[in-house]
Amino acid sequence: MECQFHRGRRLRRTETLRAMFRETRLTASDLVQPYFVLEHENPEVEKPIGSMPGQYQLGLSALVETVRKAVDTGLQSVLLFGIPKEKDERGSQAYAEEGIVQQAVRELKETFPELVVVTDVCLCEYTSHGHCGLIRNGEVQNDPTLELIARTALSHARSGADIVAPSDMMDGRVAAIRDILDKDGYSHVPIISYAVKYASSFYGPFREAAESTPSFGDRRSYQMDVANAREGLREATADLDEGADALMVKPALPYLDILRDLRERFDCPLAAYQVSGEFSMIKAAAKEGWLDPIATALESLTAIKRAGADLIFSYFTTELLEKELIPLR
Ligand code: PBG
């Protein structure tokens, strides 16, 4: 008898066949576009971020106009970071009622009621020292920081945020946020916890974008050691116990093993953050003509979804929508 071998190519012959047997599909509802909103006397200001080509620090009305164009092409959700005029030791602009993110949330929700507005809950863009919590004797204090993180999340919810996403990596912050939201009448506001967030070099370009480089030391006493996988499962379990509605893995592409581990272990929705370094590497290589940025972005995002992400935070979102490269739903 003739030797039978596997003919995998049968199902790859034409584009229609390939589409019929495709296992993973990206849609616009999988993607969230991050924006940096700048507190500035000129609300129309648009400052290009050198390390992230095509991304800007946007004044309030520039943000609304930029989002308007993106919504017209199908954008469904945004993540907001704020860059305040004044920073202090306690990051008080993070939880100020008239803080820049709070203003931006109100404007966006008023103009685009259907848009899902997610806020990044952290202190590092607001503290003079650039760390994600309060400092005493050169150390980031966990428990005293919790109250400020919770107040920040509450002020975002009061402004109309649809989802809050704490990224500070203090222990107990999900419980603290859930508690304050529930007590204040925001039990309907979900928490996406940056549960498994590594102390990664891939955040480099973001620190220029958000002006949040620590003035001393680094974030390794609160963000996770890149060498650890099992520890990520413990972080995930803790955040679910504290009331997180969805968990995030960050960065994304270098940590697909972690994403897959979580997918196998938990039934909750999972998010992944394709971070600034992942974005800027593709942009930089594309500038040299070494790879096709759009094809590479689509491949990365498909891989992240294939590994188990339900939701992906990506700086490529609006560009892909503009070019009509992904279906809306
Ligand atoms: C704030 C925060 C950071 C990022 C998201 N939220 C920076 C950091 O932790 O240093 C990184 C996002 C990116 O690199 O795109 N804590």
Side-chain angles (χ1 to χ4, degrees):
M1 208 176 73
E2 226 181 289
C3 163
Q4 288 288 314
F5 54 88
H6 172 68
R7 290 204 181 267
R9 291 184 57 191
R10 275 180 198 131
L11 302 183
R12 289 177 212 140
R13 243 183 60 243
T14 68
E15 178 47 35
T16 311
L17 280 167
R18 289 192 292 274
M20 285 168 71
F21 293 99
R22 191 157 293 141
E23 299 173 28
T24 308
R25 277 195 170 75
L26 276 177
T27 69
S29 41
D30 300 325
L31 300 177
V32 184
Q33 170 74 36
Y35 287 105
F36 300 95
V37 48
L38 179 66
E39 191 174 17
H40 197 278
E41 52 273 3
N42 174 12
E44 281 165 25
V45 67
E46 297 188 12
K47 285 194 186 170
I49 299 161
S51 57
M52 299 176 71
Q55 307 296 311
Y56 298 82
Q57 295 180 339
L58 298 166
L60 213 44
S61 34
L63 173 74
V64 174
E65 288 322 303
T66 305
V67 171
R68 189 188 307 282
K69 286 188 207 116
V71 165
D72 286 344
T73 63
L75 181 69
Q76 323 215 352
S77 180
V78 301
L79 171 70
L80 294 182
F81 293 98
I83 306 149
K85 242 188 220 153
E86 309 286 343
K87 305 192 186 212
D88 58 33
E89 294 246 300
R90 298 177 56 83
S92 52
Q93 284 305 306
Y95 39 91
E97 205 182 311
E98 288 306 315
I100 186 63
V101 163
Q102 289 78 356
Q103 294 184 48
V105 174
R106 287 195 289 266
E107 291 252 346
L108 287 178
K109 288 305 294 183
E110 205 166 289
T111 322
F112 315 104
E114 303 293 312
L115 182 74
V116 171
V117 176
V118 188
T119 56
D120 185 273
V121 176
C122 197
L123 299 184
C124 62
E125 300 113 66
Y126 306 90
T127 50
S128 41
H129 44 74
H131 278 287
C132 304
L134 294 171
I135 305 285
R136 199 184 307 142
N137 303 329
E139 281 202 31
V140 177
Q141 302 294 306
N142 194 86
D143 296 11
T145 301
L146 294 179
E147 191 210 326
L148 302 185
I149 292 291
R151 277 171 64 184
T152 303
L154 178 60
S155 72
H156 293 171
R158 281 183 176 158
S159 305
D162 295 289
I163 302 178
V164 293
S167 68
D168 53 291
M169 288 300 277
M170 297 301 121
D171 296 326
R173 91 274 207 207
V174 174
I177 292 172
R178 190 70 272 159
D179 188 54
I180 202 170
L181 290 181
D182 290 354
K183 283 194 176 124
D184 215 76
Y186 295 95
S187 57
H188 57 285
V189 173
I191 302 172
I192 298 181
S193 154
Y194 289 68
V196 193
K197 175 171 176 180
Y198 288 91
S200 171
S201 306
F202 287 93
Y203 309 149
F206 174 93
R207 303 217 170 137
E208 178 188 327
E211 301 178 7
S212 65
T213 310
S215 60
F216 66 92
D218 54 44
R219 302 203 204 287
R220 284 185 288 183
S221 80
Y222 39 108
Q223 299 180 351
M224 279 179 50
D225 188 325
V226 301
N228 293 356
R230 293 190 305 273
E231 187 189 352
L233 296 174
R234 295 216 307 278
E235 285 286 350
T237 305
D239 283 11
L240 285 174
D241 285 349
E242 290 179 29
D245 299 277
L247 302 177
M248 174 131 68
V249 173
K250 181 178 167 204
L253 207 61
Y255 295 84
L256 292 189
D257 57 329
I258 309 299
L259 194 54
R260 174 51 60 94
D261 280 352
L262 258 64
R263 183 69 298 159
E264 285 174 358
R265 188 77 71 97
F266 303 102
D267 293 328
C268 67
L270 293 178
Y273 199 136
Q274 183 190 47
V275 299
S276 55
E278 297 177 70
F279 171 83
S280 299
M281 284 197 305
I282 292 175
K283 287 288 182 184
K287 200 166 143 212
E288 297 287 340
W290 294 337
L291 45 76
D292 173 342
I294 294 299
T296 312
L298 283 170
E299 182 175 332
S300 298
L301 293 169
T302 303
I304 294 164
K305 187 164 183 193
R306 191 192 63 224
D310 301 295
L311 201 63
I312 307 171
F313 292 75
S314 169
Y315 301 100
F316 285 110
T317 301
T318 51
E319 195 177 342
L320 296 175
L321 288 172
E322 219 169 274
K323 297 192 158 77
E324 297 185 18
L325 288 168
I326 35 180
L328 296 187
R329 280 173 206 275

